[in-house]
Amino acid sequence: KLEDNWYKISSFFNYNDFINTDVDLKYFDLFLIDIWLGDWSWFDIIKKIRLKLNINTPIIIISWYADKDNVVCWYNLWIDDYIKKPILPEELIFRVKNVLKRPKENSDDKILEYNEITLNVTSREVRKWKRKVILSKKETEILELFMQNRWKIIPKNDFIIFWWWEDKLLSVTDNTIYVTLSKLRKKLWSKFNLESKKNLGYILI
């Protein structure tokens, strides 16, 4: 259906196909990702796009799954739209056109600000009171997530899956999260007002 409407597409059937493509992924205008790719590789693809390549290209998720809390979390984790199966061809084209019409962000100039903290999305440089703060890669990514989604609750389970996906999830305890967030708070002092909501998740206020 997309090709019938003059869209040029490239198809990938798993994570390895995706990362080994000869095409520069930065030149794509949109990513359509079915979450039922084998071995949950869809999750690795999203992390590759957003965290490792730092690409802001829109992402649309396609899935039978329609749990409201998870859909909201996906939006919080840099997903631009969600389409529930079965998909009507007309709906697919409409959603694609709608996402592509949105103004494109200039990542070269994108600076996130919160209290006296700034994060340069491109260079990954963090400053507090205009002084550079040294954060680990994971700490920087977590800071970006909350700065991008201030006042939105990030569910704990999704927080764990997203940030520790490459680790053994069973080894990630409440203490793991507490230590990670405590280190981040300490480096940013009182300027990072992150709260834990019992049975819900975490929110930056």
Side-chain angles (χ1 to χ4, degrees):
K1 187 65 178 181
L2 289 171
E3 290 176 313
D4 291 341
N5 283 265
W6 307 103
Y7 289 103
K8 184 179 179 180
I9 66 172
S10 296
S11 299
F12 308 98
F13 298 98
N14 53 52
Y15 178 73
N16 289 330
D17 286 349
F18 180 76
I19 63 172
N20 292 322
T21 179
D22 294 330
V23 182
D24 189 338
L25 298 173
K26 292 184 179 180
Y27 289 102
F28 283 86
D29 295 313
L30 175 70
F31 294 106
L32 282 167
I33 303 176
D34 191 322
I35 75 165
W36 295 118
L37 291 172
D39 298 327
W40 280 57
S41 61
W42 65 275
F43 214 99
D44 295 316
I45 288 173
I46 293 175
K47 290 185 70 174
K48 178 75 173 181
I49 293 170
R50 290 292 190 251
L51 304 182
K52 296 181 180 179
L53 299 178
N54 194 30
I55 295 175
N56 292 321
T57 301
I59 296 175
I60 297 178
I61 286 293
I62 301 173
S63 173
W64 288 100
Y65 198 60
D67 182 270
K68 181 179 179 181
D69 291 335
N70 281 277
V71 171
V72 170
C73 183
W74 289 337
Y75 279 117
N76 289 340
L77 300 178
W78 307 300
I79 302 305
D80 297 88
D81 204 353
Y82 168 88
I83 304 176
K84 181 183 176 183
K85 294 180 180 178
I87 306 170
L88 293 174
E90 294 78 12
E91 179 186 8
L92 175 62
I93 298 301
F94 173 80
R95 296 288 193 94
V96 167
K97 287 182 177 180
N98 189 53
V99 169
L100 290 177
K101 284 192 301 184
R102 298 174 186 172
K104 293 184 179 179
E105 296 180 349
N106 184 353
S107 60
D108 292 336
D109 300 321
K110 186 172 182 181
I111 304 293
L112 298 178
E113 297 182 359
Y114 166 75
N115 285 351
E116 299 296 329
I117 302 169
T118 60
L119 167 61
N120 186 307
V121 174
T122 304
S123 68
R124 317 304 293 163
E125 183 179 84
V126 178
R127 289 183 175 273
K128 178 183 65 179
W129 297 317
K130 298 183 179 181
R131 294 184 179 182
K132 189 173 181 179
V133 179
I134 304 300
L135 301 181
S136 69
K137 184 174 183 291
K138 188 182 294 294
E139 289 170 342
T140 303
E141 293 167 353
I142 291 174
L143 175 62
E144 181 181 4
L145 169 67
F146 285 108
M147 290 180 74
Q148 291 272 26
N149 297 280
R150 189 179 181 187
W151 302 111
K152 296 180 182 178
I153 294 177
I154 307 298
K156 185 175 76 171
N157 288 341
D158 295 288
F159 183 78
I160 292 174
I161 291 174
F162 199 78
W163 298 113
W164 282 274
W165 181 252
E166 296 175 353
D167 304 325
K168 293 182 179 179
L169 296 184
L170 293 178
S171 67
V172 180
T173 63
D174 287 342
N175 188 61
T176 305
I177 300 173
Y178 175 79
V179 170
T180 301
L181 295 179
S182 292
K183 289 181 178 178
L184 184 57
R185 287 191 182 98
K186 185 176 181 180
K187 292 179 180 180
L188 298 174
W189 294 4
S190 60
K191 294 299 179 181
F192 187 60
N193 299 319
L194 185 67
E195 289 192 357
S196 174
K197 298 294 184 180
K198 188 175 182 181
N199 300 323
L200 293 176
Y202 306 93
I203 183 171
L204 185 67
I205 61 174

